[in-house]
Amino acid sequence: MKIVASYNIKGGVGKTAGAVNLAYHASRQGARTLIWDLDPQGAASFYFRVKPKVKGGFSRFLRRRRHAMEAIRGTDYEGLDLLPADFSARHIDVLLARTRKPTRRLKRLMKELGKEYDVLYLDCAPSIGVGSEHLFDIADVLAVPTIPTTLSVNTLKQLKKHLARRGRRAPAVLPFFSMVDERKSMHRRICKDKRALAYDPLQARIPYSSEVERMGEHRAPLSTYAARSKPAKAYARLGDEIQAHLN
């Protein structure tokens, strides 16, 4: 099973929209897909019309008192399941810090899920801490939505420095421009001049669009109600690029 984390230190950059639409695209391509909502706000769970609640909370998976498969819920889309958010995930750093050999336990959990799924998308909370460190150890790819602004670009540089300082295995970092507004000169300039970025971005760019914001109204992936829209097509191209890196 391949693991793709939709991750950014910053919030409000299109992380959940990316996870939801990329997971949906993967399932449409025939992959047995699971999305795990690790953000205690539960936005991905909301989009899929699933109550953000896991009996016993996140810690039961780590203590192996409950199999993760018991908490998984089906979505309205064939081949796409969801492990819902739980408010206890707000304490994920504390839970992992108190757990003996947490990375080993997480890898064991991933192995169990890998028996049923081809790809796992993680919708991560915006942070960098103990939880993020273990995420870096298990993920194959970090898909990093990056708004073309100075602060977002600087955050991407901070991530690269942090991964280099860790001195151990790091996932592939695949940033992509999100919420791109071609009317803004800064957005156009940063998208055009990629030399200032810490990593080479993927080619697909997600445009700023009210269609993406309407995901909350429809509570559904973008392609289910606006398949011909520019952002829906952009997410499809982005999904294909990420899949090419996973192969």
Side-chain angles (χ1 to χ4, degrees), residues 41-178:
Q41 297 180 70
S45 301
F46 176 83
Y47 285 145
F48 286 114
R49 305 172 184 268
V50 175
K51 184 178 179 180
K53 179 67 176 178
V54 175
K55 186 177 180 180
F58 177 82
S59 63
R60 293 194 69 181
F61 300 146
L62 293 180
R63 296 195 303 265
R64 300 196 72 185
R65 293 181 181 177
R66 188 182 187 196
H67 198 293
M69 293 300 299
E70 299 174 19
I72 290 174
R73 299 291 178 263
T75 70
D76 294 334
Y77 313 104
E78 184 178 357
L80 177 56
D81 292 338
L82 170 77
L83 187 51
D86 188 86
F87 201 52
S88 67
R90 71 191 188 280
H91 300 308
I92 189 171
D93 283 357
V94 175
L95 294 172
L96 289 169
R98 292 177 177 175
T99 301
R100 184 181 179 186
K101 299 180 179 179
T103 297
R104 180 180 296 181
R105 295 198 182 194
L106 286 172
K107 288 181 177 180
R108 185 184 296 120
L109 175 58
M110 297 302 105
K111 186 176 181 180
E112 293 172 354
L113 295 175
K115 297 176 183 178
E116 301 293 334
Y117 298 99
D118 301 312
V119 60
L120 168 62
Y121 273 88
L122 304 175
D123 181 27
C124 306
S127 67
I128 187 161
V130 176
S132 303
E133 291 300 317
H134 296 294
L135 166 69
F136 299 152
D137 287 332
I138 65 170
D140 296 297
V141 163
L142 297 185
V144 185
T146 304
I147 302 174
T149 62
T150 303
L151 287 178
S152 288
V153 169
N154 187 59
T155 300
L156 192 59
K157 293 178 180 178
Q158 291 176 340
L159 175 62
K160 184 173 184 177
K161 289 179 181 179
H162 177 73
L163 291 176
R165 286 196 298 264
R166 293 175 77 238
R168 61 182 191 268
R169 176 202 177 272
V173 179
L174 304 180
F176 61 93
F177 288 121
S178 67

